[in-house]
Amino acid sequence: DGGITQSPKYLFRKEGQNVTLSCEQNLNHDAMYWYRQDPGQGLRLIYYSQIVNDFQKGDIAEGYSVSREKKESFPLTVTSAQKNPTAFYLCASRRTGGYGYTFGSGTRLTVV
Amino acid sequence: DAKTTQPNSMESNEEEPVHLPCNHSTISGTDYIHWYRQLPSQGPEYVIHGLTSNVNNRMASLAIAEDRKSSTLILHRATLRDAAVYYCILRQGSARQLTFGSGTQLTVLP
Protein backbone atom coordinates (compact mmCIF):
# COMPACT_ATOMS: atom_id res chain seq x y z
CA ASP A 1 0.00 0.00 0.00
CA GLY A 2 1.17 3.51 -0.75
CA GLY A 3 1.71 5.95 2.04
CA ILE A 4 4.07 8.11 4.04
CA THR A 5 6.55 6.65 6.48
CA GLN A 6 7.98 8.75 9.25
CA SER A 7 10.77 7.48 11.43
CA PRO A 8 11.49 7.14 14.19
CA LYS A 9 8.15 7.29 15.99
CA TYR A 10 9.80 8.56 19.18
CA LEU A 11 13.07 10.45 19.37
CA PHE A 12 15.01 11.81 22.30
CA ARG A 13 17.67 14.43 21.87
CA LYS A 14 20.07 16.14 24.19
CA GLU A 15 20.10 19.91 24.24
CA GLY A 16 22.54 21.35 21.75
CA GLN A 17 22.38 18.41 19.35
CA ASN A 18 21.04 18.42 15.82
CA VAL A 19 18.63 15.65 14.88
CA THR A 20 17.14 14.56 11.55
CA LEU A 21 13.60 13.27 11.13
CA SER A 22 12.91 11.02 8.18
CA CYS A 23 9.93 11.26 5.83
CA GLU A 24 9.55 8.91 2.86
CA GLN A 25 6.57 8.56 0.52
CA ASN A 26 5.83 6.06 -2.24
CA LEU A 27 2.75 7.85 -3.54
CA ASN A 28 4.63 9.60 -6.36
CA HIS A 29 3.46 12.92 -4.93
CA ASP A 30 5.32 16.05 -5.98
CA ALA A 31 4.62 18.26 -2.98
CA MET A 32 5.76 17.50 0.55
CA TYR A 33 5.29 19.37 3.82
CA TRP A 34 6.52 19.45 7.41
CA TYR A 35 4.28 20.55 10.24
CA ARG A 36 4.85 20.93 13.96
CA GLN A 37 2.16 20.32 16.56
CA ASP A 38 2.35 21.34 20.22
CA PRO A 39 0.02 19.84 22.86
CA GLY A 40 -3.57 20.97 22.42
CA GLN A 41 -2.69 23.08 19.39
CA GLY A 42 -3.24 22.89 15.67
CA LEU A 43 -0.49 22.21 13.14
CA ARG A 44 1.98 24.90 12.08
CA LEU A 45 3.84 24.77 8.77
CA ILE A 46 7.65 24.56 8.98
CA TYR A 47 8.78 23.96 5.39
CA TYR A 48 7.28 22.75 2.14
CA SER A 49 8.57 21.60 -1.22
CA GLN A 50 6.69 21.50 -4.49
CA ILE A 51 9.45 19.89 -6.54
CA VAL A 52 12.81 18.20 -6.16
CA ASN A 53 15.68 20.55 -5.22
CA ASP A 54 13.29 23.33 -4.27
CA PHE A 55 11.66 24.22 -0.95
CA GLN A 56 10.16 27.23 0.82
CA LYS A 57 9.94 28.36 4.41
CA GLY A 58 6.67 28.09 6.21
CA ASP A 59 5.47 30.05 9.21
CA ILE A 60 7.99 28.73 11.75
CA ALA A 61 11.13 27.78 9.79
CA GLU A 62 13.67 29.26 12.22
CA GLY A 63 15.88 26.56 13.72
CA TYR A 64 14.94 23.98 11.08
CA SER A 65 16.42 22.91 7.76
CA VAL A 66 15.28 20.57 4.99
CA SER A 67 16.49 19.03 1.76
CA ARG A 68 14.67 17.56 -1.23
CA GLU A 69 17.21 15.60 -3.25
CA LYS A 70 14.74 12.89 -4.18
CA LYS A 71 11.04 13.01 -4.93
CA GLU A 72 10.32 10.35 -2.33
CA SER A 73 12.23 11.89 0.55
CA PHE A 74 11.95 15.14 2.53
CA PRO A 75 14.06 14.94 5.71
CA LEU A 76 13.78 17.61 8.39
CA THR A 77 16.74 18.60 10.57
CA VAL A 78 16.01 20.19 13.92
CA THR A 79 19.07 22.23 14.74
CA SER A 80 20.40 23.41 18.07
CA ALA A 81 19.13 26.87 17.13
CA GLN A 82 15.55 25.72 17.62
CA LYS A 83 14.77 26.93 21.14
CA ASN A 84 11.79 24.71 21.92
CA PRO A 85 12.09 21.60 19.77
CA THR A 86 9.98 19.27 21.89
CA ALA A 87 6.86 18.65 19.78
CA PHE A 88 5.01 16.25 17.51
CA TYR A 89 6.27 16.50 13.92
CA LEU A 90 4.11 15.56 10.96
CA CYS A 91 5.06 15.08 7.34
CA ALA A 92 2.51 15.29 4.54
CA SER A 93 2.40 14.99 0.76
CA ARG A 94 0.05 15.94 -2.05
CA ARG A 95 -0.23 15.06 -5.72
CA THR A 96 0.09 18.00 -8.10
CA GLY A 97 -3.41 19.10 -8.93
CA GLY A 98 -4.81 17.00 -6.11
CA TYR A 99 -6.76 18.35 -3.19
CA GLY A 100 -6.26 15.86 -0.41
CA TYR A 101 -3.13 15.74 1.72
CA THR A 102 -1.77 12.46 3.01
CA PHE A 103 -0.13 12.61 6.42
CA GLY A 104 2.37 10.32 8.07
CA SER A 105 1.89 9.02 11.59
CA GLY A 106 4.33 11.51 13.07
CA THR A 107 7.54 11.64 15.10
CA ARG A 108 7.41 12.74 18.71
CA LEU A 109 10.63 14.57 19.57
CA THR A 110 11.62 15.16 23.18
CA VAL A 111 14.62 17.17 24.27
CA VAL A 112 16.15 15.85 27.46
CA ASP B 1 -4.61 35.00 5.69
CA ALA B 2 -8.23 33.92 5.89
CA LYS B 3 -8.99 32.30 9.23
CA THR B 4 -11.57 29.83 10.45
CA THR B 5 -13.43 29.77 13.76
CA GLN B 6 -14.66 26.54 15.32
CA PRO B 7 -16.05 25.63 18.75
CA ASN B 8 -13.40 24.16 21.00
CA SER B 9 -15.43 21.06 21.80
CA MET B 10 -18.69 19.28 21.06
CA GLU B 11 -20.42 16.14 22.30
CA SER B 12 -22.64 13.73 20.49
CA ASN B 13 -24.42 10.52 21.29
CA GLU B 14 -23.49 7.41 19.40
CA GLU B 15 -25.58 6.70 16.30
CA GLU B 16 -26.93 10.25 16.19
CA PRO B 17 -26.04 12.89 13.55
CA VAL B 18 -23.38 15.46 14.34
CA HIS B 19 -23.16 18.95 12.87
CA LEU B 20 -19.75 20.58 13.26
CA PRO B 21 -19.83 24.30 12.42
CA CYS B 22 -17.08 26.48 10.98
CA ASN B 23 -17.04 30.22 10.34
CA HIS B 24 -14.76 31.71 7.69
CA SER B 25 -16.06 35.21 7.09
CA THR B 26 -12.90 36.41 5.27
CA ILE B 27 -12.82 33.57 2.75
CA SER B 28 -11.76 34.56 -0.76
CA GLY B 29 -13.42 33.41 -3.93
CA THR B 30 -10.76 30.82 -4.75
CA ASP B 31 -10.38 29.30 -1.29
CA TYR B 32 -11.47 25.70 -0.96
CA ILE B 33 -12.90 24.54 2.37
CA HIS B 34 -11.21 21.40 3.66
CA TRP B 35 -12.03 19.24 6.64
CA TYR B 36 -9.55 16.92 8.30
CA ARG B 37 -9.74 14.94 11.50
CA GLN B 38 -7.00 13.78 13.85
CA LEU B 39 -7.05 10.93 16.32
CA PRO B 40 -4.68 11.09 19.31
CA SER B 41 -1.00 10.65 18.39
CA GLN B 42 -1.80 10.21 14.70
CA GLY B 43 -1.53 12.37 11.62
CA PRO B 44 -4.62 14.16 10.32
CA GLU B 45 -6.89 12.31 7.93
CA TYR B 46 -8.66 13.95 4.99
CA VAL B 47 -12.45 13.97 5.39
CA ILE B 48 -13.97 16.15 2.67
CA HIS B 49 -13.56 19.40 0.78
CA GLY B 50 -15.69 21.78 -1.28
CA LEU B 51 -15.81 25.15 -2.99
CA THR B 52 -19.39 26.34 -3.36
CA SER B 53 -21.75 23.40 -3.61
CA ASN B 54 -22.63 20.90 -0.91
CA VAL B 55 -20.57 17.73 -1.09
CA ASN B 56 -21.11 14.15 0.03
CA ASN B 57 -18.74 11.23 0.37
CA ARG B 58 -18.66 7.97 2.27
CA MET B 59 -17.35 9.65 5.40
CA ALA B 60 -19.42 12.80 5.70
CA SER B 61 -21.33 15.63 4.06
CA LEU B 62 -20.25 19.24 3.74
CA ALA B 63 -22.87 21.97 3.70
CA ILE B 64 -21.59 25.36 2.52
CA ALA B 65 -23.54 28.55 3.11
CA GLU B 66 -24.61 30.48 0.06
CA ASP B 67 -22.32 33.40 0.96
CA ARG B 68 -19.52 30.91 1.77
CA LYS B 69 -18.84 32.57 5.09
CA SER B 70 -19.64 29.41 7.01
CA SER B 71 -19.83 25.68 6.51
CA THR B 72 -20.96 22.61 8.42
CA LEU B 73 -19.49 19.14 8.48
CA ILE B 74 -22.18 16.54 8.95
CA LEU B 75 -21.52 13.06 10.28
CA HIS B 76 -24.76 11.26 9.62
CA ARG B 77 -24.41 8.63 12.30
CA ALA B 78 -21.64 9.13 14.84
CA THR B 79 -19.67 6.14 16.07
CA LEU B 80 -17.13 5.92 18.86
CA ARG B 81 -14.40 5.83 16.20
CA ASP B 82 -15.45 9.30 15.05
CA ALA B 83 -14.15 10.82 18.29
CA ALA B 84 -11.32 13.08 17.14
CA VAL B 85 -10.26 16.68 16.63
CA TYR B 86 -11.91 18.05 13.51
CA TYR B 87 -10.16 20.83 11.61
CA CYS B 88 -11.87 23.21 9.20
CA ILE B 89 -9.20 24.65 6.89
CA LEU B 90 -9.08 27.08 4.00
CA ARG B 91 -6.62 26.13 1.32
CA GLN B 92 -4.58 29.14 0.24
CA GLY B 93 -1.61 30.11 -1.79
CA SER B 94 0.01 28.80 -4.92
CA ALA B 95 1.49 25.88 -3.03
CA ARG B 96 -1.87 25.05 -1.60
CA GLN B 97 -0.49 24.72 1.89
CA LEU B 98 -2.98 24.07 4.64
CA THR B 99 -3.22 26.45 7.60
CA PHE B 100 -4.62 24.67 10.65
CA GLY B 101 -6.54 26.26 13.49
CA SER B 102 -7.09 24.57 16.84
CA GLY B 103 -10.09 22.52 15.68
CA THR B 104 -13.11 21.05 17.47
CA GLN B 105 -12.66 18.12 19.84
CA LEU B 106 -15.61 15.81 19.20
CA THR B 107 -16.57 13.45 22.00
CA VAL B 108 -18.96 10.61 21.15
CA LEU B 109 -20.87 9.22 24.08
CA PRO B 110 -21.97 5.57 24.06
Side-chain angles (χ1 to χ4, degrees), chain A residues 8 45 54 56 72 84 97 101 107:
Chain A
L45 182 65
D54 185 57
Q56 284 79 42
E72 308 79 45
N84 294 298
Y101 288 62
T107 292

Side-chain angles (χ1 to χ4, degrees), chain A residues 33 35 37 41-43 45 48 50 88 90 94 97 99-101 103-105 108, chain B residues 32 34 36 38 41-44 46 49 87 91 94-98 100-102:
Chain A
Y33 306 80
Y35 286 89
Q37 186 173 34
Q41 305 293 317
L43 283 67
L45 182 65
Y48 62 98
Q50 298 185 78
F88 188 45
L90 287 156
R94 180 183 59 82
Y99 297 105
Y101 288 62
F103 282 83
S105 56
R108 192 167 299 280
Chain B
Y32 280 78
H34 284 234
Y36 282 74
Q38 185 178 23
S41 297
Q42 294 189 27
Y46 168 82
H49 79 279
Y87 296 100
R91 196 191 74 209
S94 59
R96 299 180 177 175
Q97 63 266 38
L98 299 177
F100 286 77
S102 54

Side-chain angles (χ1 to χ4, degrees), chain A residues 22-98:
Chain A
S22 171
C23 177
E24 303 278 334
Q25 55 101 355
N26 61 2
L27 299 165
N28 200 34
H29 286 177
D30 292 299
M32 297 186 74
Y33 306 80
W34 273 107
Y35 286 89
R36 167 183 171 139
Q37 186 173 34
D38 293 288
Q41 305 293 317
L43 283 67
R44 292 183 291 167
L45 182 65
I46 305 173
Y47 268 98
Y48 62 98
S49 168
Q50 298 185 78
I51 196 169
V52 173
N53 293 323
D54 185 57
F55 47 83
Q56 284 79 42
K57 293 182 179 180
D59 299 320
I60 56 165
E62 186 176 349
Y64 299 97
S65 66
V66 293
S67 62
R68 188 85 188 279
E69 297 177 2
K70 298 187 301 182
K71 187 176 184 178
E72 308 79 45
S73 178
F74 191 40
L76 173 74
T77 297
V78 184
T79 74
S80 56
Q82 169 50 233
K83 298 192 185 311
N84 294 298
T86 295
F88 188 45
Y89 290 88
L90 287 156
C91 180
S93 71
R94 180 183 59 82
R95 175 179 58 84
T96 299

Side-chain angles (χ1 to χ4, degrees), chain B residues 81-96:
Chain B
R81 286 179 291 183
D82 290 324
V85 177
Y86 286 78
Y87 296 100
C88 169
I89 301 161
L90 300 182
R91 196 191 74 209
Q92 306 167 348
S94 59
R96 299 180 177 175

